[in-house]
Amino acid sequence: MRVLIVEDDERLARNLVEALQGAGFVAAHEREGKAAWFRGEVEEYDAIILDLGLPGLDGLTILRRWREAGVKVPVLVLTARGDWADRVVGIEAGADDYLPKPFQMAEVLARLRAILRRTAGQAAPVWTVGDIEIDASAKQVRVAGAPIDLTPHEYRLVSYLAHKAGRSVSQSELLDHLYGDDTAYTTNSIEVLVGRVRRKLGAGRIETRRGYGYVLTGGGAG
């Protein structure tokens, strides 16, 4: 999952990047308001963590512009403003959740996972696609109830395809959302990764749609 962190406090931003990367996310950082507005509108992210007090352009204005432009990415707002009225303003501007500072990194991760589940239509912490279960808290995948031993990158692949269940995901999209800007990985890396995961999940659970990409179906070949 690819997450943009918009925060002008460099120390806090570093801590957020480290926490998200440690939890298996691909994290990018932007500190200035106008640059963040542009990136959020033209680049694709699975979620955005947005501070309200930013130089150049404030967070509420950025959020309103994104929503007016049709940007539907889930947004978790961070702010030093603790007043309930400010929280209402943030939610009405299009935020999916709101977390006042100071906070614990564990709560940021929990709230982030929750809004990602809601966006994917999965309210429970365990996602299901056919006979595949993805436990986001334990980072565990099960097929027909049996746990599957996956590497971190293999787990991220299954999790991302589950989040996009029902549509094809291209190799280039997987590169962006699994590896970010790491140029050591190529589309061939994705092919190899998908091949390994297919063998572990069993036949028929990841389909290739020629010219479009991969789809997690959760349906074994029997």
Side-chain angles (χ1 to χ4, degrees), residues 157-213:
L157 172 68
V158 176
S159 178
Y160 189 75
L161 290 176
H163 184 69
K164 303 296 181 179
R167 77 167 181 84
S168 300
V169 181
S170 68
Q171 290 182 344
S172 60
E173 181 176 342
L174 286 172
L175 270 177
D176 284 342
H177 291 260
L178 298 183
Y179 301 113
D181 298 326
D182 192 336
T183 57
Y185 296 94
T186 65
T187 55
N188 184 63
S189 306
I190 296 296
E191 290 179 9
V192 172
L193 182 64
V194 170
R196 291 204 313 263
V197 172
R198 275 184 170 140
R199 288 191 292 273
K200 293 184 177 184
L201 297 185
R205 291 186 173 87
I206 299 179
E207 293 182 358
T208 298
R209 295 186 180 169
R210 298 292 180 189
Y212 296 98

Side-chain angles (χ1 to χ4, degrees), residues 38-222:
F38 179 77
R39 289 183 69 169
E41 192 160 325
V42 303
E43 298 182 21
E44 185 178 349
Y45 295 95
D46 299 296
I48 297 176
I49 297 176
L50 176 66
D51 184 33
L52 293 188
L54 297 169
L57 197 64
D58 70 274
L60 279 178
T61 300
I62 293 170
L63 183 55
R64 289 191 182 102
R65 290 186 181 183
W66 282 339
R67 295 314 189 214
E68 289 168 1
V71 177
K72 297 180 180 179
V73 61
V75 175
L76 171 61
V77 165
L78 305 179
T79 181
R81 306 171 193 172
D83 188 83
W84 68 267
D86 290 323
R87 302 183 196 186
V88 170
V89 171
I91 296 296
E92 289 184 342
D96 294 86
D97 202 353
Y98 199 106
L99 188 58
K101 300 175 183 178
F103 49 76
Q104 297 296 318
M105 289 299 168
E107 185 174 6
V108 175
L109 293 172
R111 288 175 180 261
L112 183 61
R113 292 188 183 110
I115 63 174
L116 285 168
R117 288 198 305 270
R118 291 198 298 270
T119 303
Q122 298 277 359
V126 177
W127 300 5
T128 59
V129 180
D131 63 355
I132 299 174
E133 297 178 350
I134 301 96
D135 186 332
S137 298
K139 293 185 175 57
Q140 175 68 64
V141 172
R142 294 181 288 271
V143 174
I148 306 299
D149 184 20
L150 299 177
T151 67
H153 280 140
E154 290 168 353
Y155 170 80
R156 291 174 199 171
L157 172 68
V158 176
S159 178
Y160 189 75
L161 290 176
H163 184 69
K164 303 296 181 179
R167 77 167 181 84
S168 300
V169 181
S170 68
Q171 290 182 344
S172 60
E173 181 176 342
L174 286 172
L175 270 177
D176 284 342
H177 291 260
L178 298 183
Y179 301 113
D181 298 326
D182 192 336
T183 57
Y185 296 94
T186 65
T187 55
N188 184 63
S189 306
I190 296 296
E191 290 179 9
V192 172
L193 182 64
V194 170
R196 291 204 313 263
V197 172
R198 275 184 170 140
R199 288 191 292 273
K200 293 184 177 184
L201 297 185
R205 291 186 173 87
I206 299 179
E207 293 182 358
T208 298
R209 295 186 180 169
R210 298 292 180 189
Y212 296 98
Y214 304 106
V215 179
L216 186 70
T217 65

Side-chain angles (χ1 to χ4, degrees), residues 7-14 29 31 51 53-54 101:
E7 170 61 63
D8 65 325
D9 184 320
E10 293 292 343
R11 181 177 179 182
L12 177 55
R14 283 196 304 272
H29 172 230
R31 69 171 305 277
D51 184 33
L54 297 169
K101 300 175 183 178

